[in-house]
Amino acid sequence: MTVELATRLIDVLGALLLFTMLVILASGQLFRAIYAVALQAVFLGIAGAVLAAATGNPDLWVIAGITIVVKAFVLPWLLIRVVRTVQISREIEPAIPMTLTLIAASGIVVLAFHLNASLGPVRQTITGNALPVGVTLILIGVLVMASRRKALVQMVGLFASENGIFFTAMAISQGMPLIIEIGVILDVVLGALVMGILVLRVRSSVDTDIADLESLKG
Amino acid sequence: MERTQHIVRIATETGLLVLLGPLVTGYVQKLKARLQCRRGASLLQPYRDLAKLLRKGTVRSDTATPFFRAVPALVLAATVTAATMLPVLWAPSGPALLPVGDSILLLGLLALARFLLAIGALDAGGAFGGMVASREMTVGLLVEPALMLAVFSVAVAAGTTDLGELAARRDSLAALSWQAPDLLALFGMLILALAETGRIPVDNPDTHLELTMLHEGMLLEHSGPGLACIALATHVKQLVTLTLVATLFFPPGLARGLAPPEIALALGAFAAKVLLLATFLAVVESSYAKLRFFRVPQFLGLGLVSAFLALALRVL
Amino acid sequence: MDGQPPLTRIVVWLGHLLVLAGALGGAAFALSVLAGGAAAPPHLALPRLFPFAEMSLSVDGLSAFFLVVVALVTAAAAIYGPSYLGAHAKAPVLQTFALAAFVACMALVCCAGDAMTFLLAWEGMTLASWVLVVSDPREENARAGLLYLVMAHAGTAALLVVFLTLADHAQAFDFAALRSAARGLDGRTRTALFMLALAGFGAKAGVVPLHVWLPKAHPAAPSHVSALMSGVMLKIALYGIFRFGFDLLAPASGPLPASWGWTVLLLGSASAVIGVLLALQQHDLKRLLAYHSVENVGIILIGAGLAMVLGGGRGPQPLATLALAAALLHTLNHAAFKGLLFLGAGSVLARTGIRNMEELGGLARRMPWTAWLFLLGAIAISALPPLNGFVSEWMTFQALLLGGVRLGGASGLLAGVAASMLALTGGLAAACFAKAFGVTFLGRPRSSHAEHARESPAPMIAGMALLALACIALGLAPGFAMPLFDRPTAELLGGLGASAVVTARGPLVLTAGGPVNGLEATAISMTVAAALFALLAAAAWVVSGWPREAPRRLAPTWTCGMTPTARFDYTATAFAKPLRLIFAAVYRPRRQIERETGPSPYVLRRLAYTGEVVDLAETMIYARVKHWVNATAQEIREYSTGRIHGYIGFVLVTLTVALLVFARP
């Protein structure tokens, strides 16, 4: 696989990742957001595979595989199980109006691409739009966490941000050292488990609103 | 000589769009039925409906003005004029001989058709006409900026808004020229196409409840041949929208000359693109529920942001 | 005019005829100047009114073009005026004089060749229109007139500063001297002066956020004067911006500073969107039209700003010319269709006495000419083909795409956003006029005034028809009007004239870039499109009317089986509700519902609904400024001791300070 073809494929995958990110941001239903983040992980895995084929780095194959298995199947399955067990309402309530979040997301994208030039000196294996797209994904993932009330949606935002970190790392260097990649994934799995337990226990009302935690203040 | 040839080409393409419009609707209905485990009406049912309406009498509201009688003809004329702008089978090999092909003029003509329908709905008076005119104009104005951004993001690369030229310039590099902005613009356009063709999740074309109507409600007071004109205009508008998406994003397959094999290939390519997009419409209609009217802006906002990002990625 | 004494009638008719003759003469003169090519602009020295300033008139391409705009609407208003003034007008003779003075001052502003003439005529224009605004003695009109005077003079103050600064540098007042003096200024002073001029002219033109006086003052005047104020006076303010931006303050060579163009473009986009959003929520027909003027001024400024950005070599020259031609064409178009719409609204007001469209309805059958001419104006202002509004918006879109977006980078993205804002305003305008036309003219009459309305007299219809013809002509054959813009664009931007760029392929086809390679591909022909449309409509009409043996009958509108009355018709408030909710952040709507129920909560006796949509500029800016000014004035008032010695002491202190300041070595 030539570098040119790899660049083009990464470009297209970057666009697909951006679009799934938008769907997560704009979705009004939990399941749609969870499926979107699973799809995002699939795209990420494919990107990892493309990079592995282009650079010949065996670690990337492993990372791609783990990403697809864990982040596209296991974690979403966990989330869906929690949703079904606790029977929380499937609507996602935004903490700030949807228009504002969409404008903020657009602003983040424009900013990331505009500043692409000054981020240039960072060494990149595959040039092109991969770096700004990665930065955008991270920031919009955090935006999702900041602008939603439900705990589960914030988890989805965390996963999405995580995807962004992976994409950025893959794009810049030859992927992070394998041990760090596995460590980060384990962190995320741990976070998901903790959140799942918390949600299952904090079942006082019909749905879990993070704002309710404020009432625990002494 | 060349000019007459050009005129004949445009007439053929427009005639093709007008004739095949109801067939595409029939296909979408049939596919929806199959997906819902029904047999569904025949593919040619829309044609039969049009023929039936042409034979029927007209009932007109007693508060309507004489203008009301002209609305169906005007709406059909506007939609078919918009249809002449699209390159269906042929892409020009040099600068267009006749200046009929601009995408902004196309969008303007479709907006004119919508405006006239809304005026007609208000003309008959009554609550339904006003309500549905208000909703349709609202959805229309939410779609316009996003459409403009999507068209611009494609036109910037090609350097022109003329659809024939655009298709010709992108055709040669089609397989290699798909970039991230194209994908985002395509996703945005697909969302907007659902709004422009009046399909779920924006509008339900099969509903009989006036309170859930957007487009259908404007047809309530029309009957007989007038309703046939407007129904045909709706079919043509749907096909125009799908062909616009195909022209902007899937240009290869357009013929350059008059050789029969080229034309057959172009016809096949056109049919394939339209069928693919029609399948998308049918699948989306069968998979989702209609959105509450005040959720539609959020849905269209996704299309707007997609189109904006497409332009941003193209330009930055 | 039947109720007035015969002498009054004769004077009023004569006055209006004189105005009409003046308009026609002025139009002829202006057209001859525009056709003059590169000939020197006619110059006329005026008698010296002041010892220090020479006064003169100088009519170059830009002035001549704006004279044409003035003449077009004045002619229609002059034909319309006498019948409109009717039996109940207060002081019709005074109004006629004021109208004549108003039009004369506007023409003088266009033709002014030096600062004094300009300022005198500008002030005369304000005062004459103020007389007309307060001619109907009601309290809201008096307040509107006061706000108008305050805003106008604030703008004039800014203009005074600019003119006097330049005159100080030039030691003379005529434009040629000011121009050469401005060449010697440094960049920052130049930009500061331009921004000040923009603020001054913007206050008169109704640019957001200085637009608040417009929706109060324009509806207060008689309708033909409203047409002149909206259709022409705002354009005179824009003339000022063109004159300063492209001519007086322009550097000797090279492009204009980028900040100028982008500021104008952004202000234009904001005005366009905010103007039309606020227009949507109005139910007073004339206020709605006044807010639309804010919108269209914004659209003109988008074209002008783009021309400033692209001119002088920063972008391809033909595209700068295209942008400027688009702005100028929209000026002419807006004058035509806004004039038509205001005259139509006036016709409705004259016959029914009602401005609130919620009390009208069903007028299309009772006033058919007014209704269909109004519909024509509505289609034109909504930028729908095949009329003239679409042509200028098409040209603006092409300039934004081929010129603005192709600049690339963040500026390209801004141009793209401006284009989407422009598309949004087109859609919003169409929705607004569907509401305005539908609720006012269609359906059933909602009040007895509407029910007993009759068609307006012939002169009023004639005035409207004149402007309607202009709309149709400019829509179907805009290429023939392109030579009008040759001289202004060549003089302001250099390079090719507008017709060489836009009608490079003949007068029936409009191209986007003319002779530049690749840009001539984008082209439309309004004539061909309209011909196709007419042909297809005729064909559809024939085909749908074919089965003649099918029965036709009338029946009441379906209202779920109940007998339809006027209360079933959708109200304007309801029509605009979806947009009120979607754009709630801009409107901050408030609503209050009071229910009065009978013995059981399900039996509703009375329902009172109060809804309010405020203009954010008014609440956030004007109310605060007014409050601050009042508070400061109260504080200062504390210092007036009421004793003579205090005042004399104050004078002494001021004189000493002035001595210190000016006598420093």
Side-chain angles (χ1 to χ4, degrees):
Chain A
M1 182 173 293
T2 63
V3 175
E4 261 177 31
L5 184 59
T7 311
R8 188 164 289 280
L9 281 173
I10 298 283
D11 224 13
V12 168
L13 284 166
L16 289 168
L17 283 168
L18 260 182
F19 187 71
T20 42
M21 199 73 221
L22 279 180
V23 172
I24 295 174
L25 193 63
S27 57
Q29 292 198 359
L30 259 180
F31 278 135
R32 196 166 298 163
I34 297 176
Y35 289 144
V37 80
L39 193 61
Q40 211 177 42
V42 170
F43 288 140
L44 195 62
I46 298 177
V50 165
L51 261 174
T55 59
N57 186 357
D59 284 347
L60 280 171
W61 287 110
V62 176
I63 292 169
I66 294 181
T67 306
I68 292 188
V69 167
V70 174
K71 302 187 70 185
F73 291 105
V74 173
L75 288 179
W77 173 80
L78 197 69
L79 283 180
I80 291 177
R81 232 195 83 176
V82 170
V83 171
R84 290 231 173 94
T85 317
V86 178
Q87 289 179 355
I88 46 186
S89 83
R90 314 270 178 89
E91 294 276 316
I92 299 181
E93 310 281 329
I96 52 179
M98 183 57 80
T99 332
L100 275 179
T101 41
L102 285 176
I103 293 177
S106 312
I108 289 174
V109 175
V110 172
L111 200 65
F113 276 85
H114 194 55
L115 297 176
N116 193 17
S118 49
L119 293 170
V122 177
R123 181 173 59 100
Q124 291 194 42
T125 37
I126 304 290
T127 52
N129 278 338
L131 181 57
V133 169
V135 170
T136 309
L137 289 176
I138 299 175
L139 290 175
I140 298 189
V142 176
L143 178 67
V144 170
M145 284 201 283
S147 66
R148 299 282 182 270
R149 289 210 189 110
K150 284 205 169 39
L152 280 162
V153 188
Q154 294 187 332
M155 276 316 296
V156 170
L158 179 65
F159 292 166
S161 200
E162 192 42 57
N163 286 343
I165 296 176
F166 267 39
F167 191 67
T168 316
M170 280 198 286
I172 294 180
S173 53
Q174 308 252 359
M176 302 183 269
L178 189 62
I179 195 87
I180 295 185
E181 297 262 5
I182 295 181
V184 173
I185 290 191
L186 276 176
D187 270 337
V188 172
V189 173
L190 190 66
L193 279 172
V194 167
M195 191 56 79
I197 294 173
L198 196 65
V199 167
L200 281 166
R201 291 288 182 214
V202 180
R203 238 205 314 159
S204 54
S205 57
V206 178
D207 44 355
T208 49
D209 193 329
I210 285 297
D212 286 346
L213 283 177
E214 283 187 22
S215 61
L216 292 175
K217 255 192 321 197
Chain B
M1 178 54 204
E2 280 213 35
R3 199 163 277 230
T4 355
Q5 207 186 61
H6 201 90
I7 294 178
V8 168
R9 284 191 196 178
I10 294 181
T12 319
E13 290 180 332
T14 314
L16 203 63
L17 284 176
V18 171
L19 283 174
L20 291 182
L23 186 61
V24 171
T25 310
Y27 170 73
V28 172
Q29 297 290 99
K30 187 80 168 175
L31 188 56
K32 258 183 8 187
R34 283 300 162 107
L35 286 172
Q36 294 164 12
C37 300
R38 296 184 279 121
R39 281 185 61 183
S42 113
L43 279 176
L44 302 177
Q45 186 59 33
Y47 292 104
R48 295 199 191 111
D49 288 336
L50 286 175
K52 171 188 79 172
L53 283 171
L54 276 175
R55 285 194 300 265
K56 289 204 160 201
T58 317
V59 178
R60 214 178 82 222
S61 161
D62 53 8
T63 45
T65 57
F67 181 68
F68 188 78
R69 292 178 55 196
V71 165
L74 290 174
V75 168
L76 183 59
T79 317
V80 177
T81 314
T84 59
M85 311 267 148
L86 285 165
V88 175
L89 296 176
W90 285 285
S93 44
L97 285 170
L98 280 183
V100 182
D102 191 68
S103 45
I104 301 182
L105 185 56
L106 188 150
L107 294 175
L109 283 165
L110 291 179
L112 176 68
R114 184 187 291 122
F115 181 80
L116 288 173
L117 267 178
I119 297 284
L122 283 165
D123 200 355
F128 293 134
M131 178 178 78
V132 93
S134 145
R135 293 174 160 188
E136 180 76 12
M137 296 304 291
T138 307
V139 169
L141 68 91
L142 290 173
V143 165
E144 289 224 11
L147 269 178
M148 200 57 69
L149 282 174
V151 168
F152 267 33
S153 79
V154 176
V156 156
T160 174
T161 52
D162 188 281
L163 286 166
E165 276 299 308
L166 215 145
R169 287 179 193 187
R170 282 165 60 84
D171 191 1
S172 48
L173 307 164
L176 305 170
S177 69
W178 265 64
Q179 293 176 352
D182 286 316
L183 265 177
L184 281 170
L186 175 64
F187 292 145
M189 269 301 270
L190 287 175
I191 293 178
L192 298 169
L194 288 169
E196 281 276 313
T197 51
R199 299 241 164 228
I200 287 177
V202 174
D203 179 16
N204 187 354
D206 304 323
T207 183
H208 299 289
L209 303 170
E210 290 91 348
L211 292 177
T212 58
M213 290 178 176
L214 257 79
H215 179 79
E216 295 297 310
M218 300 199 289
L219 316 182
L220 281 176
E221 293 295 327
H222 294 272
S223 51
L227 185 57
C229 283
I230 297 187
L232 181 61
T234 312
H235 299 315
V236 173
K237 179 175 174 181
Q238 178 174 261
L239 187 53
V240 162
T241 311
L242 296 183
T243 315
L244 180 65
V245 176
T247 309
L248 288 176
F249 298 103
F250 308 107
L254 291 168
R256 299 286 165 154
L258 286 176
E262 262 195 272
I263 297 183
L265 183 66
L267 204 57
F270 173 66
K273 296 176 211 170
V274 167
L275 278 179
L276 184 65
L277 291 167
T279 312
F280 166 75
L281 287 183
V283 167
V284 167
E285 279 219 281
S286 309
S287 320
Y288 289 93
K290 184 172 108 69
L291 285 171
R292 250 189 72 194
F293 181 68
F294 289 112
R295 299 270 189 192
V296 170
Q298 208 168 311
F299 177 69
L300 293 177
L302 181 60
L304 176 65
V305 175
S306 250
F308 172 74
L309 288 184
L311 186 65
L313 263 66
R314 178 79 72 185
V315 159
L316 287 172
Chain C
M1 287 299 306
D2 313 309
Q4 306 277 3
L7 184 61
T8 317
R9 289 208 323 240
I10 294 176
V11 172
V12 168
W13 272 102
L14 263 181
H16 281 86
L17 269 171
L18 270 174
V19 170
L20 176 64
L24 292 172
F29 171 64
L31 287 170
S32 74
V33 171
L34 285 173
H43 192 99
L44 177 70
L46 293 175
R48 270 180 185 250
L49 285 178
F50 304 94
F52 52 83
E54 273 185 14
M55 301 192 18
S56 62
L57 297 178
S58 164
V59 183
D60 68 348
L62 190 67
S63 312
F65 173 75
F66 276 90
L67 268 181
V68 171
V69 174
V70 174
L72 176 66
V73 188
T74 308
I79 300 175
Y80 181 95
S83 312
Y84 179 78
L85 288 176
H88 307 294
K90 311 275 188 305
V93 177
L94 176 64
Q95 287 198 32
T96 313
F97 271 121
L99 177 73
F102 183 40
V103 173
C105 286
M106 286 199 286
L108 275 175
V109 170
C110 287
C111 302
D114 71 291
M116 292 310 299
T117 320
F118 190 97
L119 285 170
L120 281 174
W122 185 263
E123 193 59 29
M125 191 173 79
T126 309
L127 288 175
S129 49
W130 176 78
V131 167
L132 289 163
V133 164
V134 296
S135 61
D136 185 4
R138 276 189 292 182
E139 206 205 309
E140 71 223 18
N141 291 352
R143 271 193 302 200
L146 183 64
L147 181 61
Y148 175 42
L149 272 186
V150 168
M151 293 296 302
H153 284 110
T156 313
L159 292 182
L160 261 175
V161 170
V162 177
F163 269 122
L164 290 178
T165 316
L166 279 177
D168 191 36
H169 278 272
Q171 301 296 321
F173 280 93
D174 61 295
F175 280 174
L178 295 182
R179 198 175 291 132
S180 41
R183 298 271 158 84
L185 291 174
D186 70 299
R188 272 207 288 176
T189 323
R190 197 198 299 275
T191 305
L193 283 177
F194 175 72
M195 292 301 166
L196 208 55
L198 186 63
F201 286 117
K204 201 54 180 271
V207 175
V208 159
L210 301 167
H211 65 284
V212 177
W213 61 273
L214 220 157
K216 296 193 208 276
H218 281 209
S223 302
H224 56 302
V225 176
S226 302
L228 279 171
M229 286 172 77
S230 260
V232 187
M233 194 175 71
L234 302 186
K235 308 306 179 322
I236 305 293
L238 291 172
Y239 163 79
I241 297 180
F242 282 123
R243 178 63 71 190
F244 270 84
F246 287 103
D247 185 24
L248 288 180
L249 288 175
S253 64
L256 297 171
S259 57
W260 295 16
W262 287 113
T263 313
V264 172
L265 196 121
L266 286 171
L267 273 177
S269 313
S271 300
V273 176
I274 294 180
V276 73
L277 276 178
L278 288 168
L280 260 164
Q281 301 301 330
Q282 305 302 322
H283 309 309
D284 179 333
L285 206 49
K286 287 171 77 168
R287 258 177 88 99
L288 184 145
L289 293 173
Y291 270 112
H292 270 284
S293 298
V294 174
E295 171 212 347
N296 282 285
V297 161
I299 298 179
I300 298 173
L301 285 179
I302 291 179
L306 195 61
M308 285 183 190
V309 167
L310 294 173
R314 199 181 278 120
Q317 177 63 24
L319 289 168
T321 313
L322 179 69
L324 188 59
L328 291 175
L329 180 61
H330 200 80
T331 311
L332 187 59
N333 287 342
H334 179 237
F337 53 63
K338 189 45 71 65
L340 171 60
L341 288 167
F342 261 114
L343 294 185
S347 168
V348 169
L349 179 59
R351 280 312 194 195
T352 59
I354 305 177
R355 260 163 49 181
N356 182 2
M357 62 176 86
E358 305 266 36
E359 294 172 32
L360 294 170
L363 292 177
R365 301 180 108 186
R366 294 160 177 82
M367 308 173 68
W369 282 99
T370 310
W372 305 126
L373 288 171
F374 193 92
L375 180 62
L376 204 89
I379 294 182
I381 198 173
S382 310
L384 295 172
L387 291 179
N388 52 353
F390 178 77
V391 179
S392 46
E393 280 212 12
W394 183 84
M395 286 167 66
T396 315
F397 275 126
Q398 294 302 333
L400 278 170
L401 171 69
L402 299 173
V405 179
R406 302 257 280 187
L407 283 177
S411 359
L413 192 59
L414 261 177
V417 170
S420 73
M421 294 285 107
L422 192 56
L424 181 64
T425 64
L428 283 167
C432 186
F433 274 95
K435 173 187 106 165
F437 180 73
V439 174
T440 311
F441 290 98
L442 303 175
R444 288 186 187 74
R446 294 182 183 84
S447 64
S448 64
H449 290 282
E451 205 171 330
H452 297 118
R454 292 169 295 129
E455 185 58 271
S456 298
M460 288 167 76
I461 307 291
M464 290 170 29
L466 174 66
L467 290 173
L469 273 172
C471 287
I472 296 178
L474 286 169
L476 293 185
F480 291 100
M482 282 301 142
L484 280 177
F485 309 111
D486 271 345
R487 226 175 139 168
T489 48
E491 281 173 10
L492 293 182
L493 288 176
L496 296 167
S499 59
V501 169
V502 179
T503 50
R505 282 164 65 173
L508 289 180
V509 177
L510 299 175
T511 60
V516 177
N517 217 1
L519 287 175
E520 77 271 16
T522 313
I524 57 168
S525 171
M526 297 298 296
T527 325
V528 168
L532 264 176
F533 179 69
L535 200 65
L536 289 166
W541 179 255
V542 164
V543 167
S544 64
W546 204 255
R548 299 236 180 256
E549 68 277 2
R552 290 175 205 269
R553 61 183 178 94
L554 292 178
T557 311
W558 173 248
T559 42
C560 288
M562 297 182 265
T563 316
T565 64
R567 294 213 42 208
F568 280 89
D569 289 349
Y570 221 53
T571 60
T573 316
F575 195 98
K577 177 168 176 179
L579 289 154
R580 205 154 54 236
L581 292 182
I582 294 173
F583 291 103
V586 176
Y587 289 131
R588 310 279 173 93
R590 284 191 317 115
R591 72 204 279 253
Q592 206 179 341
I593 300 183
E594 280 165 18
R595 291 191 170 88
E596 197 184 286
T597 52
S600 137
Y602 299 109
V603 173
L604 195 64
R605 283 244 177 84
R606 230 184 100 236
L607 185 71
Y609 169 92
T610 322
E612 193 190 348
V613 164
V614 290
D615 186 343
L616 271 187
E618 238 181 290
T619 46
M620 300 192 73
I621 304 179
Y622 287 81
R624 289 190 184 162
V625 167
K626 215 163 71 163
H627 182 79
W628 176 82
V629 166
N630 272 337
T632 318
Q634 290 283 45
E635 279 191 39
I636 296 181
R637 199 177 161 193
E638 312 269 303
Y639 285 103
S640 55
T641 56
R643 282 182 293 155
I644 281 280
H645 293 95
Y647 295 141
I648 298 181
F650 190 66
V651 172
L652 181 63
V653 168
T654 313
L655 284 174
T656 320
V657 169
L659 187 63
L660 277 171
V661 168
F662 285 105
R664 262 185 316 183

